[in-house]
Structure formats: C-alpha cells, structure tokens
Amino acid sequence: MKLWERRSENVNAAVMTQERRLILVLLLNLAMIAGLVIVGLSSHSLGVLAAGGDYLADAAAIGISILAIHVGRHPNGHPKSPTYAALTNVIFLLAVTVFVIIEAIRRLSTHTPQIEALPVILVSAIAAIVMIAGAFILGGNADANDLNMRSVLLDTIADAVAAISVAITGGIILFLNGFYWLDSVVALLVAAIISYHALKL
C-alpha cells in the first residue's frame, strides 16, 4: 500500500512540475503577443503581426495541454473537454491565417507600405530569446515519452526560428533601405506555421 501511495505521489509531483512549466511558458507567450501586436501595428509589419498570431496559436495549444492535464487528473473530468477547446481554437487560428494570407497577397500584388525595420528587428530578437528561454524551461528534466510536452517543446523551438526569420528580414530591409515586400513573404511563411499548429490541434 505504501509503495502504491509513493508511486501515486511521484506521478502527481511530475504532473504538477509539467503544469508549472507549461504555465510559465504560457505567460511568456502571452507577454510576447501583446508586444508583437503593438510593434506590428506601429511599424506596419505584417510579419511581426503574423508572428503574434503564431504565438497566440502556441498559447492556445499550451492552454489545451494544461486543460488536458487537469481533465486527466480529475476523476469526474469530461474526456472531450480538451477536444471542444481545441476545435474552438482551430476555428480562430484558421481565421487569423486567412487574414494574414489575404493581407500578404494584397500587399504583394498592390503596394507594400514602408516598414519601420528597427522595431521589427528588436521585438523579433526579444521574441526569439524569450522562446529559446521557454524551450529551456520545457526541456529541463524533459519527459522523453510525454508526447504532449515534446509537442509543446518543438512548437516553442519553431517559434524561436520564426522570430529569428522575421528579425533577419527586418535586418535586410534596414540594410537595403527597401525590399519591403520581404515582410509579406515572411508573413506567409509564418502563416504556414500557424496553419500547421491549427491542423495539429
């Protein structure tokens, strides 16, 4: 009986550790969403706005992961709760993706506004650093057999790569003092990442 209780306590402790890590990374995502949206609007960068949508996708996925942990732990939890939450998020994410794609195509086919490259570089670099920190948080004591945690970890790494791509694009625009259309191209790239997240959800 004592052995069973000890194992049960170990499982609960592991779940709580997972939950704390997920909550911390969720808070990092939410903080970055606000910054990316503000800078995206002020700098006219669709790439930064798309990155904000991508981080929102991750926040949704992490929220569902936390919900799944709670439902799995609760004896009377409804097994389909995470599915319903995921469906709602998928609809929202697909709407964000459609908006980004339409706006990117419109800009590419008509006129891309002047992009304020320096804020794009700064916020994207910060976003990349934050996501790399998030990957370390999730990767600490990594649960090799936990597909849920591995999925969130891989998504966080992908977000860091996307942020680096936006920062590099901003650097090219700043250096060349033009080529604003690159911002729309990288926005389409990020939209593809959002679509991937939505399909996974």
Side-chain angles (χ1 to χ4, degrees):
M1 183 68 177
K2 287 183 179 178
L3 180 61
W4 179 85
E5 287 177 355
R6 197 176 300 120
R7 284 180 180 170
S8 179
E9 286 175 7
N10 289 339
V11 169
N12 287 334
V15 169
M16 289 305 292
T17 302
Q18 284 182 359
E19 190 175 353
R20 277 197 290 267
R21 284 186 286 170
L22 286 169
I23 288 172
L24 186 52
V25 175
L26 174 61
L27 292 174
L28 290 175
N29 270 276
L30 292 175
M32 286 313 308
I33 290 166
L36 288 165
V37 169
I38 291 169
V39 172
L41 290 172
S42 61
S43 66
H44 311 292
S45 172
L46 187 60
V48 173
L49 284 174
D54 184 28
Y55 282 44
L56 186 60
D58 265 1
I62 293 169
I64 291 169
S65 296
I66 294 170
L67 178 62
I69 289 173
H70 274 285
V71 170
R73 196 169 56 207
H74 199 281
N76 298 321
H78 195 290
K80 293 205 177 232
S81 296
T83 305
Y84 297 143
L87 179 61
T88 304
N89 284 318
V90 165
I91 294 170
F92 177 75
L93 293 175
L94 289 176
V96 170
T97 304
V98 168
F99 166 77
V100 171
I101 291 171
I102 290 174
E103 180 62 15
I105 292 172
R106 185 190 70 78
R107 288 186 178 196
L108 288 169
S109 60
T110 56
H111 174 68
T112 302
Q114 181 175 334
I115 308 297
E116 299 295 331
L118 190 57
V120 170
I121 296 168
L122 291 175
V123 76
S124 300
I126 292 169
I129 292 168
V130 168
M131 287 301 102
I132 291 169
F136 275 110
I137 291 168
L138 291 168
N141 302 318
D143 309 285
N145 296 320
D146 190 327
L147 293 178
N148 184 33
M149 292 295 287
R150 282 176 59 194
S151 172
V152 175
L153 173 61
L154 290 173
D155 285 346
T156 303
I157 293 170
D159 283 344
V161 172
I164 291 169
S165 300
V166 176
I168 290 172
T169 302
I172 294 170
I173 291 171
L174 181 65
F175 181 74
L176 297 175
N177 195 26
F179 286 75
Y180 301 125
W181 56 269
L182 286 173
D183 180 73
S184 297
V185 172
V186 80
L188 288 172
L189 211 69
V190 177
I193 295 173
I194 299 173
S195 301
Y196 171 74
H197 286 178
L199 290 173
K200 269 184 58 178
L201 285 176

